[in-house]
Amino acid sequence: MLRLTRGTTVAFGIVVGIVLLFMYAPLFLVIINSFNVAPIANWPISGFTFDWWVRAFQNEALWAAVQNSVIVATGAMIIALVLGTLAAFALQRFEFFGKHTVNLLIVLPIALPGVVTGVAFSNSFNNVLEPAGIQVGYFGMIIAHATFCIVMVFNNVFARLRRMNPSMQEASMDLGASLWQTFRLVTFPQFRTAFVAGGLLAFALSFDEIVVTIFTAPAGVDTLPLWMFNQMARPNEATQVNVIATVLILLSFIPVYISQRLTRAEEEER
Amino acid sequence: MSAPTAPTEPVPTEPAPTDSGSATPSRDTAADTAASSSERGQGGVELHAVTKRFGETVAVDDLTLSVESGEFFSMLGPSGSGKTTVLRLIAGFEEVTSGSIEIAGTDVTRAAPFDRTVNTVFQDYALFPHMTIADNVAYGLRVRKVSKAEQKERVAAALEQVRLSHVADRLPHQLSGGQRQRIALARALILQPRVLLLDEPLGALDKQLREQMQIELKQIQREVGITFIFVTHDQEEALTLSDRIAVFNNGRVEQVGTPREVYEYPQTGFVAGFLGISNLIDAGHAERLTGVAKAISVRPERVRLMDARTEPATHETCVDGTIVETVYTGPTTRYIVDTVDGLRVIAERHNDHAPSDTAPYHRGDAVRAVWVTEHAAVVP
């Protein structure tokens, strides 16, 4: 174990304190301001009220945005889970011509700036597909999100498959299991945690996506991030953003909790 | 081990015999044939002209092999000699490039692993880490939709057989290496296969545990009476366990025979060198020594050392040289002797003298290495 002098320990403590303060003070400010009487965030708050919470929960536009976000994120996640897992299997288990290129093409969208992805999809949807009579509408947004969500699932599942002992599958078949039984009883349980973690990441990535969404959302459709972004421009409504932000902060504990439990279960199994 | 009566004339020179009715029948073979003849065809494995290529590499080269029902058959060879590939071909994990495979009289050349009446014990055991030991052992029954009650009963019996009933509810990672090995065995045997394939199953265990497991394996094989095909690179393990051994090299079988046959009458220089230590004397030197221009192999334990002035008996062959190294191994001491005409002979001597005495010969001593002429096996 590395030994530190008392001075170093104190210095590190201070640095950690400052970093945590910068990370969490703004979040704290958001939570407090959701109860602020004043319509614009300030410090210290002018007075305490549940007024904004009530108004936020009665705001139909907000609920519509939440619904849109959940649908889009769920859709993108499902596409990502299916295609990402299939791609991971194909690239991990088989040798074929152009394998490395395919690998690169799958991973590329996550590195591509959102602006580029957005412009590209917007152009294809509005200038190519629409004149051809194909209305992608809502579904276009889901596909645009899925392109970079796939990477999350792909990377997780691929890494897990690589660590998996190939003789497990052989043992299963040797004991009489069909291909499907082997997948269901042996293979899937072993990459399930990677599958779930990849899915959670994909969902989260899509849920808070704003750049690509701006370019691909059909007219009149707001996702939650789009709605919040637009609200900020209206001074009298800004505090409702703090309310929904507070809710999101609390909700984000869920995936963090799940992923930590999965990791722990995993470590116990090793 | 007492020396068998070796033929005075060269041992048959035809290629390595591939069945137990080989050219040099010994007591072992006779016993083996008697034991298995009653159930012949029940669990025999036949390979006909099997070739397996991986790209440019030929892993198995035109192999014809016949494993008798109920025998403990070892495939011995260095890594990369093709023995594991042959096992995987029999199990169905790999498909033959050409040739055919028959298990228990049925052609399985193109059959999937789950359609073959063989089960495998893997080198790394391949237990399913997310299932309890009981679930691991029950797996084969579960995928065959055997009733829950029967599953329970047979799992209990299988765990009983390997004396591990108390670990039924644990996970594989909570078991020791030896326990995992036995569970892998129980999981494979629960399906009552006709043939059990074992891929270096003892390789990961330490020496003492390995020797204990060897005895256990042999006992289980006798109990269940099925064919065991055992892959190993450990010649001692193969000699200890097997009814017959196939010695592999470069994708080919160099020799098949009982442990005694392959050890005492190696048919090739490779076999002589791979099983134990051998003094392989090439045809040229052999001609000068014995008058017959055929390579011979003589085991170090059959070579005696004596004073350079002592005359050998008429039925003995001798070479003169200098001890260049002595190796103390505990029960024996090995003397490495170099002769003037470039021959190296190793003599092994039991340390049967008083523990406090040092060895009778030392490095630098001029000695005469002697063996009974007919104790040397002719290597065709």
Side-chain angles (χ1 to χ4, degrees):
Chain A
M1 199 63 176
L2 185 66
R3 276 173 198 278
L4 300 175
T5 63
R6 190 165 165 71
T8 330
T9 315
V10 171
F12 277 147
I14 292 170
V15 172
V16 169
I18 292 173
V19 170
L20 287 178
L21 188 72
F22 270 93
M23 279 167 67
Y24 286 99
L27 291 182
F28 183 70
L29 204 63
V30 163
I31 295 171
I32 294 299
N33 267 296
S34 72
F35 301 105
N36 197 351
V37 172
I40 294 168
N42 59 359
W43 184 260
I45 58 172
S46 323
F48 187 87
T49 177
F50 277 112
D51 196 25
W52 299 107
W53 282 76
V54 175
R55 282 171 68 180
F57 278 91
Q58 287 168 347
N59 189 331
E60 278 174 25
L62 169 59
W63 281 110
V66 169
Q67 201 188 349
N68 284 335
S69 276
V70 169
I71 291 171
V72 171
T74 307
M77 179 183 77
I78 291 170
I79 294 174
L81 283 175
V82 173
L83 295 184
T85 305
L86 291 177
F89 266 90
L91 290 172
Q92 215 282 314
R93 296 279 166 83
F94 300 99
E95 288 301 325
F96 53 88
F97 176 75
K99 178 172 167 169
H100 294 286
T101 316
V102 171
N103 196 342
L104 181 74
L105 291 177
I106 290 172
V107 182
L108 189 66
I110 198 71
L112 222 53
V115 165
V116 176
T117 312
V119 168
F121 274 105
S122 172
N123 280 343
S124 324
F125 292 162
N126 297 329
N127 306 338
V128 179
L129 293 183
E130 212 169 277
I134 301 167
Q135 293 283 351
V136 287
Y138 209 89
F139 198 60
M141 184 161 52
I142 296 178
I143 288 178
H145 281 201
T147 57
F148 49 82
C149 287
I150 287 174
V151 186
M152 294 294 134
V153 178
F154 172 80
N155 275 347
N156 268 282
V157 174
F158 186 82
R160 180 66 53 85
L161 289 180
R162 199 152 57 178
R163 278 193 301 156
M164 208 186 282
N165 181 352
S167 54
M168 297 286 171
Q169 268 88 223
E170 287 175 356
S172 170
M173 307 252 267
D174 185 70
L175 293 165
S178 64
L179 287 171
W180 168 241
Q181 282 174 320
T182 298
F183 180 80
R184 192 166 55 88
L185 299 173
V186 173
T187 316
F188 183 68
Q190 288 189 65
F191 77 86
R192 182 169 42 205
T193 50
F195 183 80
V196 172
L200 280 176
L201 274 169
F203 186 91
L205 203 63
S206 164
F207 195 81
D208 82 341
E209 218 297 324
I210 190 157
V211 182
V212 175
T213 317
I214 288 176
F215 285 96
T216 52
V221 175
D222 271 355
T223 62
L224 191 59
L226 270 188
W227 181 84
M228 288 168 80
F229 183 67
N230 293 335
Q231 274 334 81
M232 296 297 282
R234 293 182 215 152
N236 290 341
E237 303 286 334
T239 304
Q240 282 190 43
V241 173
N242 289 331
V243 172
I244 193 67
T246 304
V247 173
L248 291 180
I249 290 169
L250 297 177
L251 286 181
S252 50
F253 281 109
I254 296 173
V256 173
Y257 174 76
I258 293 176
S259 82
Q260 285 196 342
R261 279 215 28 190
L262 288 179
T263 320
R264 209 174 311 141
E266 191 101 312
E267 277 164 3
E268 275 166 16
E269 215 167 77
R270 295 280 143 202
Chain B
M1 196 197 279
S2 69
T5 41
T8 27
E9 259 305 5
V11 209
T13 49
E14 68 238 9
T18 50
D19 58 27
S20 57
S22 81
T24 47
S26 71
R27 229 157 21 98
D28 312 39
T29 346
D32 166 49
T33 319
S36 59
S37 59
S38 56
E39 42 191 339
R40 191 183 296 277
Q42 302 241 313
V45 176
E46 307 275 338
L47 282 81
H48 302 290
V50 167
T51 295
K52 175 66 184 175
R53 282 193 203 91
F54 294 105
E56 294 291 292
T57 334
V58 181
V60 180
D61 190 3
D62 191 27
L63 176 77
T64 297
L65 198 64
S66 166
V67 180
E68 300 275 320
S69 183
E71 78 175 327
F72 198 121
F73 189 88
S74 288
M75 301 200 285
L76 173 70
S79 52
S81 59
K83 57 191 194 303
T84 297
T85 307
V86 172
L87 195 83
R88 294 174 58 80
L89 287 169
I90 298 172
F93 304 141
E94 310 281 355
E95 226 178 289
V96 297
T97 310
S98 66
S100 69
I101 299 174
E102 235 176 68
I103 298 171
T106 314
D107 188 294
V108 295
T109 312
R110 304 286 159 203
F114 43 81
D115 288 330
R116 300 186 184 205
T117 51
V118 298
N119 287 111
T120 308
V121 174
F122 291 81
Q123 187 170 14
D124 55 9
Y125 319 136
L127 298 180
F128 307 129
H130 57 287
M131 292 184 199
T132 63
I133 294 309
D135 287 345
N136 262 285
V137 176
Y139 189 82
L141 302 175
R142 183 178 167 195
V143 297
R144 280 186 173 74
K145 310 263 191 302
V146 170
S147 77
K148 281 267 189 287
E150 193 188 337
Q151 277 186 36
K152 214 173 157 195
E153 204 174 291
R154 282 170 71 177
V155 167
L159 288 174
E160 186 66 35
Q161 187 174 32
V162 295
R163 304 193 319 275
L164 281 174
S165 305
H166 59 287
V167 302
D169 297 323
R170 294 196 205 155
L171 288 170
H173 73 96
Q174 294 167 312
L175 266 53
S176 71
Q179 288 175 325
R180 278 185 232 184
Q181 214 281 316
R182 272 142 67 189
I183 293 304
L185 199 60
R187 185 177 69 174
L189 285 174
I190 201 169
L191 294 169
Q192 297 162 342
R194 289 168 188 248
V195 181
L196 188 72
L197 308 174
L198 302 105
D199 184 9
E200 308 220 10
L202 310 180
L205 306 178
D206 55 50
K207 192 168 158 51
Q208 273 188 342
L209 194 54
R210 196 161 66 221
E211 280 166 6
Q212 186 194 325
M213 282 305 301
Q214 285 175 4
I215 298 168
E216 221 164 290
L217 260 186
K218 190 75 195 166
Q219 282 171 344
I220 289 176
Q221 196 255 344
R222 280 217 192 88
E223 251 169 63
V224 296
I226 61 167
T227 315
F228 272 36
I229 300 182
F230 185 90
V231 161
T232 181
H233 64 263
D234 183 334
Q235 45 104 4
E236 204 182 308
E237 200 165 274
L239 291 173
T240 313
L241 289 171
S242 319
D243 294 322
R244 285 197 304 147
I245 300 173
V247 184
F248 278 72
N249 185 33
N250 287 329
R252 290 174 164 277
V253 167
E254 298 259 334
Q255 187 175 355
V256 185
T258 63
R260 181 168 293 192
E261 281 165 7
V262 291
Y263 185 77
E264 303 293 358
Y265 307 109
Q267 300 285 305
T268 68
F270 176 81
V271 175
F274 193 74
L275 279 109
I277 303 170
S278 170
N279 294 302
L280 199 60
I281 297 167
D282 62 74
H285 279 104
E287 185 172 19
R288 248 167 290 154
L289 290 171
T290 63
V292 184
K294 276 181 177 151
I296 53 172
S297 155
V298 56
R299 297 292 180 184
E301 63 268 25
R302 304 250 152 72
V303 179
R304 276 180 305 124
L305 291 184
M306 51 193 219
D307 194 87
R309 283 165 308 225
T310 317
E311 272 305 305
T314 47
H315 65 288
E316 289 179 327
T317 307
C318 73
V319 291
D320 290 339
T322 313
I323 296 176
V324 292
E325 199 63 77
T326 68
V327 182
Y328 176 77
T329 70
T332 64
T333 303
R334 270 180 222 134
Y335 300 92
I336 299 165
V337 178
D338 278 1
T339 69
V340 274
D341 55 349
L343 206 60
R344 169 164 285 192
V345 175
I346 301 170
E348 191 161 16
R349 189 179 181 285
H350 272 280
N351 292 329
D352 49 7
H353 50 73
S356 54
D357 288 356
T358 54
Y361 300 100
H362 303 279
R363 196 152 62 88
D365 287 358
V367 290
R368 178 163 285 178
V370 185
W371 63 88
V372 177
T373 308
E374 65 183 32
H375 286 183
V378 173
V379 181

